[in-house]
Amino acid sequence: MLIKRKKARSHTEDRYLALVLATAAGVLNAMALGAFGFLPSHMSGNVSQISDEVASADTFGFLFLALLLLAFVTGGMLARMTVVLGEKIRTIFCLILLAEGVALVGISLFEILMYSPRFNSEVLLALGFLMGVHNSTSTQLSNGRVRSTHVTGTLTDAGIALGSFLSSFFSRHKALDRRFFRKQLHTHLTTIFSFLTGCIAGLLLFNLFGFKAMLALGVFLIIVAVSAIVITVRTASKLMVARRAPSL
């Protein structure tokens, strides 16, 4: 699920990726809403709100939203640069997710031990950065089929896949691709459902446990990343032993 393979990725692998990363994105997004009344991944809304801040001459609001957009883009950029520079590392995506989990644990511990409303803006910027990393990671790993935080784009992709699937019943040329369109639609719907479910769970968990729930999410991401790394290393070791074994 978290490994970039030489062969084409299957839709099943992308669905598992969506179940984990889109759900985690929804959980974190909703927790940020519960904690700060703000959605760090809702870039479409944030861009729209900038115009309102400009119209009302709210300099602080404008600067904060501009910095939040910059943080999201920077997260996506650094995730991409990491993948490019570490393209020979088989577990590079696992390492990015591991770093994200560690960063989220650090942010959560900071809020648990030193919470103060005066740090809300800085924490939101950090979460926006992590959302950029998160979305960039899933997008690159799935070749654009799973955008863990970008629901607007995923809904658009789902609409296109549904249109292509329905069109296949009226076109002999597209009838051969019907199975592909159905799998594609299933993948997009899984991403949307996972994000929605994560949002519901995230808000409920934050209302019950506060920033301890955010801490648990960070630990979960670390466990997923470390598990994938361990499985990959063990598999690679077994393959090396098998290749070195003398043939009978």
Side-chain angles (χ1 to χ4, degrees):
M1 176 187 71
L2 288 173
I3 304 300
K4 194 79 170 181
R5 305 177 188 278
K6 293 182 179 179
K7 64 183 180 71
R9 283 176 62 88
S10 69
H11 281 277
T12 299
E13 290 172 329
D14 284 339
R15 286 180 203 127
Y16 283 128
L17 182 69
L19 282 172
V20 175
L21 295 192
T23 300
V27 169
L28 183 56
N29 205 43
M31 286 182 178
L33 178 63
F36 311 110
F38 211 88
L39 298 170
S41 75
H42 187 38
M43 292 299 114
S44 298
N46 293 336
V47 170
S48 300
Q49 192 174 342
I50 284 180
S51 61
D52 181 59
E53 305 299 343
V54 171
S56 62
D58 186 349
T59 305
F60 175 80
F62 170 78
L63 289 176
F64 170 72
L65 289 171
L67 287 174
L68 184 60
L69 294 175
L70 180 61
F72 187 89
V73 172
T74 302
M77 177 193 68
L78 289 180
R80 175 57 182 166
M81 290 177 63
T82 302
V83 171
V84 171
L85 295 175
E87 60 181 349
K88 294 183 179 180
I89 303 175
R90 187 169 174 78
T91 57
I92 187 62
F93 289 98
C94 305
L95 295 174
I96 293 174
L97 188 65
L98 176 60
E100 181 189 346
V102 171
L104 186 56
V105 166
I107 292 171
S108 302
L109 288 174
F110 175 81
E111 289 293 88
I112 292 171
L113 300 174
M114 302 178 62
Y115 174 77
S116 173
R118 64 193 178 97
F119 295 127
N120 285 357
S121 297
E122 289 79 1
V123 173
L124 275 169
L125 291 175
L127 293 179
F129 172 82
L130 291 183
M131 283 293 194
V133 171
H134 197 82
N135 195 48
S136 178
T137 301
S138 63
T139 301
Q140 292 181 79
L141 185 53
S142 66
N143 296 318
R145 291 196 292 202
V146 177
R147 297 181 176 91
S148 54
T149 69
H150 189 37
V151 177
T152 302
T154 305
L155 283 169
T156 303
D157 292 339
I160 292 172
L162 178 59
S164 298
F165 175 72
L166 295 176
S167 297
S168 67
F169 289 96
F170 305 99
S171 171
R172 290 183 179 180
H173 176 69
K174 292 185 177 181
L176 299 175
D177 298 323
R178 185 179 303 157
R179 188 165 178 267
F180 170 78
F181 294 141
R182 185 175 68 248
K183 288 183 176 181
Q184 196 173 51
L185 177 62
H186 190 184
T187 299
H188 295 320
L189 292 178
T190 300
T191 304
I192 295 167
F193 178 78
S194 298
F195 187 86
L196 175 60
T197 304
C199 286
I200 296 171
L203 203 54
L204 292 174
L205 289 171
F206 188 82
N207 289 336
L208 290 173
F209 305 107
F211 286 104
K212 291 180 180 179
M214 190 177 290
L215 175 64
L217 178 62
V219 173
F220 170 75
L221 293 178
I222 292 173
I223 292 173
V224 170
V226 171
S227 300
I229 292 172
V230 170
I231 292 172
T232 302
V233 171
R234 285 183 177 178
T235 302
S237 299
K238 289 180 180 178
L239 289 174
M240 290 180 64
V241 171
R243 289 173 182 173
R244 292 176 180 175
S247 56
L248 299 177

